[in-house]
Amino acid sequence: MTISRVWRRPTLGAVAARAGVSTATVSNALNGTGRLSEATRQRVLAAARELGHAPASTARALARGGTGVLGLTTTTYGDLPVSYIEIPYYAQLTLSAMAAAHERGYMLMVMPSSLSPWTWLNTPMDGVIHVEPRADDPVCSLLRERGIPMVSEGRPSQPCWDDAWVDTDHEAGMRLLLDHLAESGARRIALSQPLHDDAYPILIGRAYASWCAERGMPALVEEYAALPDYFTSERDAVGRLLARDPRPDAVIGVYSDSGHNILAAARHHGIRVPQDLLVACISEDPDYATTTPPVTTLSLRPDRVGAEVVDLLIAVINARSGVERRRLVQPVLLPRRSTRRAARRRNGTPTSTP
Amino acid sequence: MTISRVWRRPTLGAVAARAGVSTATVSNALNGTGRLSEATRQRVLAAARELGHAPASTARALARGGTGVLGLTTTTYGDLPVSYIEIPYYAQLTLSAMAAAHERGYMLMVMPSSLSPWTWLNTPMDGVIHVEPRADDPVCSLLRERGIPMVSEGRPSQPCWDDAWVDTDHEAGMRLLLDHLAESGARRIALSQPLHDDAYPILIGRAYASWCAERGMPALVEEYAALPDYFTSERDAVGRLLARDPRPDAVIGVYSDSGHNILAAARHHGIRVPQDLLVACISEDPDYATTTPPVTTLSLRPDRVGAEVVDLLIAVINARSGVERRRLVQPVLLPRRSTRRAARRRNGTPTSTP
C-alpha cells in the first residue's frame, strides 16, 4: 500500500521563469536580501507558492549563525487566565504566521507570556513577533535589552523611531462599518468601548470619534472593564446605552464576543434586532453567521496580518533596507441581517430579508 | 485609559484545595513527576485550569538542563505542496497542543517537514511530537538517532516496543459511523479509500472490512491515489462505485474534503443525496454544516488528541513511570441530513427533515 512520489521540488529556475525574473532575483526574494521592489518580491513569492517551492532547509540561516527559529508571543493579557488561542483572531493569526514561516524555511516557536526574564533573554531565536504589546510591556523591554530583531503585530502603544509593525487599518475599518450603518438608516450609532492598555481599543475609539465629528453625529460611548471577564461588564455597558433617552439605533462592539453580549443585552431589554436596533462587531468568529439574527462583522484579516508580520520580521533579521517597516492590512466588512433595516411591505407590516 | 490588574496567579494551595489533594500532588501533576493515577492528574489539571494557574516559567525545565521547548512536526506529506495547516484537523491539533504546552509552561516549536538532517539533529528542544509518521519516515530515524524523547500523533506504521503515541480509536469510530448508516437503512455501504503509507487509511480500511464481515454485508472498496491531489482521483473512484450494479446505497470518505468530492460525484451522475445515496466522511471541516445537503461527519477530536499528546510527551521527557504510553481518544459522530433517509408522507411524496 505505497504510492510513488512524483512531485519534485521546483528549481530556482522554474520559479524565475514563472515570475519572469532572474534566478538571482528569486534567490534575493526568498532570502530577503538585495534591493527589490515590494511588487517584484511579492510576485516571486507567489510564483514559488504556486509551484510548491519550499526552501530546502534553514541551513542558510544557520550558516549565518542564526537558529532558523522565529518566536511568537502574545502578552496582551499578561498572566490572566485568557486562553488567547481559543479566540478566533489569535488562532488564525498564529496559523497563518506558522504557514508563512514554514514557507520561508523557518520554524515558529510559540511562547507563553508567562516565561521568566531569563528565558526571554536566552532562548535561541533569530527574532520575535510580539502580538499586541501593552503599554510598559515588560517583555518588550527585555527583548529590546537583548537587542533581538522584533516586529509587533498591532501598533506599539508608545511609538519609537525604530518600530517595525503590521496592523490592520482601523481607521478604514471603522469608516467601512460606520458608513454601512449610516446607509442602513442609523443616526445614533453607539460604541461599547473596552478599557485596556494595548493600542487597539484606543485606535478604534479615536476612529469612531473622528467619524462622528466629521458627519455631525453624536458620539455615544459607554466604557467597560475588559478584564478579567468582559461578558457581564459589556452587557451592563450596553444596558446603560439602551437606557439613554433618546435611545441609540445601532451599537458597535469591538471584541470577539461583543456581538453575543450586545444581542443578550438587547434581548434582556426587550429590544428587537434589527427592527429596533442595528448590531455589529469586530470579530473573526464564524458563529455570527448562525446567531439569531446573524450579526454583521468587520474582519481584521488575521490571515493577511500573520503572513505580513513574518515577511517583515525576516526582512528586519536580514537587515534589508528600503523595506516598509509600518504596514497596514485592509479590513473587510461582512454585512449580515443584524444591520439590515426591516423593509416595509405595501400593507405596512414590517418584514425582514434573510 | 489603564485598568487595575486584580487577578493574581493562584497558589499551589488554592489548586490543591480545589482538587481536594495535597500541594505535593499538585506539584507532581503539573510537573509530570511522582506516581499519580490518571484520574487524579486530570482532576488537578482541571482545577489548575479553572483557577487560571499557569506555571511561573520553564525555569524548572531549564534548571534540569532542558530547553523548555517541545517540537511539533508533520512529515505526512513530505515535500509535497500541501499546506497542512489549512486542513482543519491539523489546525485544531496544533492549536490545542500549543494551549496544552503553554499551560504547562513549555514553548511549542512548530517545524516544517523540509528541515535539513543537521537541523533535526541539533535544534535545541526537550522532545518532539511527530504527527502521523509515514512508513520509513526519515525524520523518525533521525530523531531516534538523536535519542530525543518522541511521541507520535497517530500510531506508527511500523510498531516498536518503546512507542509512545496518541491516536483516535478508529475501530470505535468506524463502528459508530457504520452502525449509524445501517440504522438509516443502508445495506450496501461503500468505502472510498485513499492510498497513502501512513497508518490512518490502513486502520480505517481494516475497521471497515471487519465490520462488514461481522455484519455479513458486502465490502465495496474503490482505491484512489491520495497524492498529489485527491480531488479528481477521489471523484473518479466514487464514480466507479456509483457505476456498479447493484449500486451502493451509501458512501464513506476518509479525508477532510471527501464529503465535497462524493457530493460532486453524485451530482455528476444525477444521483440524489440522501434520497438515493447516503453520504458521510471523517472530517473536522465546519463547512459540512452548510453544504447541500449538510454532510454527516465523524470527528476525530483533534482538540483532545493535541492535549493528550503534549501530556504524554512531558511524561516521557520526565521519564515518569506507570504512564499509559498508548492512548486512544474517542471520536464523536455528528449526524446531518446526508444520512437521513427521506421519510415518506402519507400521500407517498418523499420529504426530508432538516
Side-chain angles (χ1 to χ4, degrees):
Chain A
M1 222 164 169
T2 56
I3 178 166
S4 66
R5 309 283 298 281
V6 291
W7 186 84
R8 292 273 172 280
R9 182 195 306 284
T11 60
L12 287 190
V15 177
R18 179 91 163 209
V21 297
S22 68
T23 52
T25 300
V26 172
S27 166
N28 280 331
L30 295 177
N31 299 324
T33 50
R35 278 187 166 274
L36 299 178
S37 74
E38 280 303 297
T40 303
R41 213 161 44 84
Q42 293 299 343
R43 197 165 75 243
V44 172
L45 290 178
R49 259 194 302 271
E50 281 160 32
L51 293 173
H53 178 92
S57 68
T58 47
R60 266 186 306 269
L62 297 163
R64 284 197 308 268
T67 60
V69 177
L70 308 181
L72 182 146
T73 192
T74 301
T75 58
T76 322
Y77 302 108
D79 284 339
L80 281 160
V82 173
S83 176
Y84 67 87
I85 286 163
E86 283 168 19
I87 301 172
Y89 179 86
Y90 297 112
Q92 288 182 35
L93 177 79
T94 306
L95 290 169
S96 77
M98 207 176 284
H102 290 184
E103 195 169 57
R104 305 283 281 270
Y106 280 86
M107 304 174 250
L108 187 79
M109 180 148 67
V110 199
M111 315 169 80
S113 60
S114 55
L115 296 169
S116 69
W118 193 93
T119 311
W120 288 115
L121 289 171
N122 290 284
T123 298
M125 48 191 173
D126 294 353
V128 177
I129 295 161
H130 195 169
V131 179
E132 292 173 23
R134 305 181 62 177
D136 298 313
D137 198 300
V139 173
C140 230
S141 317
L142 281 164
L143 293 171
R144 267 182 204 283
E145 185 182 329
R146 180 172 169 179
I148 197 170
M150 185 169 50
V151 169
S152 75
E153 181 279 329
R155 274 156 272 194
S157 308
Q158 291 138 324
C160 182
W161 68 273
D162 68 342
D163 286 337
W165 52 255
V166 178
D167 200 359
T168 308
D169 188 341
H170 296 304
E171 283 276 329
M174 282 305 275
R175 216 175 311 122
L176 264 177
L177 185 48
L178 287 159
D179 284 348
H180 168 74
L181 290 168
E183 274 158 31
S184 300
R187 292 295 171 265
R188 297 179 50 76
I189 305 170
L191 180 70
S192 164
Q193 168 83 318
L195 292 171
H196 193 260
D197 62 0
D198 63 343
Y200 170 64
I202 301 170
L203 291 167
I204 294 295
R206 268 188 221 148
Y208 167 79
S210 69
W211 185 91
C212 290
E214 210 175 275
R215 295 298 201 94
M217 289 207 194
L220 310 166
V221 179
E222 277 289 340
E223 296 179 332
Y224 62 89
L227 301 174
D229 156 21
Y230 70 96
F231 294 86
T232 317
S233 57
E234 180 165 27
R235 262 176 250 172
D236 292 347
V238 174
R240 292 192 299 277
L241 282 171
L242 298 180
R244 290 193 186 188
D245 185 15
R247 203 166 67 195
D249 52 14
V251 179
I252 294 174
V254 312
Y255 278 167
S256 190
D257 285 311
S258 292
H260 299 295
N261 296 341
I262 300 170
L263 287 184
R267 249 193 320 273
H268 184 75
H269 287 78
I271 293 169
R272 296 171 310 163
V273 177
Q275 295 91 329
D276 307 326
L277 185 74
L278 305 185
V279 173
C281 72
I282 305 175
S283 180
E284 314 303 321
D285 188 349
D287 285 355
Y288 288 119
T290 53
T291 45
T292 310
V295 172
T296 292
T297 53
L298 184 74
S299 165
L300 302 177
R301 299 299 310 277
D303 53 328
R304 295 280 313 122
V305 174
E308 281 289 334
V309 83
V310 164
D311 185 75
L312 179 55
L313 180 57
I314 293 175
V316 171
I317 288 169
N318 291 309
R320 197 149 59 81
S321 59
V323 167
E324 185 46 73
R325 293 169 67 91
R326 293 157 196 213
R327 303 185 185 180
L328 287 175
V329 165
Q330 288 310 305
V332 168
L333 186 71
L334 300 165
R336 299 199 183 94
R337 211 164 67 226
S338 69
T339 56
R340 273 184 221 150
R341 269 282 173 249
R344 292 207 167 256
R345 287 216 192 109
R346 293 238 175 96
N347 64 9
T349 327
T351 178
S352 62
T353 47
Chain B
M1 218 161 173
T2 56
I3 178 165
S4 66
R5 307 287 296 282
V6 291
W7 187 83
R8 291 275 172 276
R9 181 193 307 282
T11 60
L12 288 189
V15 178
R18 179 90 163 210
V21 297
S22 69
T23 52
T25 300
V26 171
S27 167
N28 280 331
L30 295 177
N31 298 324
T33 51
R35 278 186 166 276
L36 298 178
S37 73
E38 281 302 299
T40 303
R41 214 162 44 84
Q42 293 300 342
R43 199 164 74 243
V44 172
L45 289 179
R49 259 194 301 272
E50 282 160 31
L51 292 173
H53 178 93
S57 71
T58 46
R60 264 185 309 266
L62 297 164
R64 283 197 309 269
T67 60
V69 176
L70 308 181
L72 182 146
T73 192
T74 301
T75 59
T76 322
Y77 303 109
D79 283 339
L80 281 161
V82 173
S83 176
Y84 66 85
I85 286 163
E86 283 169 18
I87 302 173
Y89 179 86
Y90 297 113
Q92 288 183 35
L93 177 79
T94 306
L95 290 170
S96 76
M98 207 176 285
H102 290 184
E103 195 169 57
R104 306 282 281 271
Y106 280 88
M107 303 173 252
L108 188 79
M109 180 147 68
V110 199
M111 314 169 82
S113 59
S114 55
L115 295 170
S116 69
W118 193 94
T119 311
W120 288 115
L121 289 170
N122 291 283
T123 298
M125 48 191 173
D126 293 353
V128 177
I129 295 162
H130 195 168
V131 179
E132 293 172 23
R134 306 180 61 177
D136 297 315
D137 198 302
V139 173
C140 228
S141 318
L142 282 165
L143 293 172
R144 268 185 204 282
E145 185 181 328
R146 179 172 171 179
I148 197 169
M150 185 169 50
V151 169
S152 75
E153 181 279 329
R155 275 157 270 194
S157 308
Q158 292 138 324
C160 182
W161 67 271
D162 69 342
D163 285 337
W165 52 255
V166 178
D167 201 358
T168 307
D169 188 340
H170 295 304
E171 283 276 330
M174 281 306 275
R175 216 175 309 121
L176 263 178
L177 185 48
L178 288 158
D179 285 347
H180 168 74
L181 290 168
E183 274 159 31
S184 300
R187 293 295 170 267
R188 298 180 48 76
I189 305 170
L191 180 69
S192 164
Q193 170 82 320
L195 292 171
H196 194 260
D197 62 358
D198 63 341
Y200 168 66
I202 301 169
L203 291 167
I204 294 295
R206 270 188 219 145
Y208 168 78
S210 69
W211 184 91
C212 290
E214 209 176 273
R215 295 298 201 95
M217 288 207 194
L220 310 166
V221 178
E222 277 289 341
E223 296 179 334
Y224 63 89
L227 300 177
D229 157 19
Y230 70 97
F231 294 86
T232 316
S233 57
E234 179 164 31
R235 261 175 251 172
D236 291 348
V238 175
R240 293 193 298 276
L241 281 171
L242 298 180
R244 291 193 185 188
D245 184 15
R247 204 167 64 199
D249 52 13
V251 179
I252 294 174
V254 312
Y255 277 166
S256 189
D257 285 311
S258 292
H260 299 296
N261 295 341
I262 301 170
L263 287 184
R267 250 194 318 272
H268 184 75
H269 287 76
I271 293 169
R272 295 171 309 165
V273 177
Q275 294 91 330
D276 307 326
L277 184 74
L278 305 185
V279 173
C281 72
I282 306 175
S283 180
E284 315 303 322
D285 187 349
D287 285 355
Y288 287 119
T290 52
T291 45
T292 311
V295 172
T296 292
T297 54
L298 184 74
S299 165
L300 302 177
R301 300 297 311 276
D303 54 326
R304 296 280 314 121
V305 173
E308 281 290 334
V309 83
V310 164
D311 185 76
L312 178 55
L313 180 57
I314 292 175
V316 171
I317 288 169
N318 290 309
R320 195 149 60 81
S321 59
V323 168
E324 184 46 73
R325 292 169 68 91
R326 292 155 197 216
R327 303 185 184 179
L328 287 176
V329 165
Q330 289 310 305
V332 168
L333 185 71
L334 300 166
R336 299 200 182 94
R337 210 165 70 225
S338 69
T339 56
R340 272 182 223 151
R341 270 278 174 252
R344 294 211 164 254
R345 288 215 191 109
R346 293 240 174 96
N347 64 8
T349 327
T351 178
S352 64
T353 48

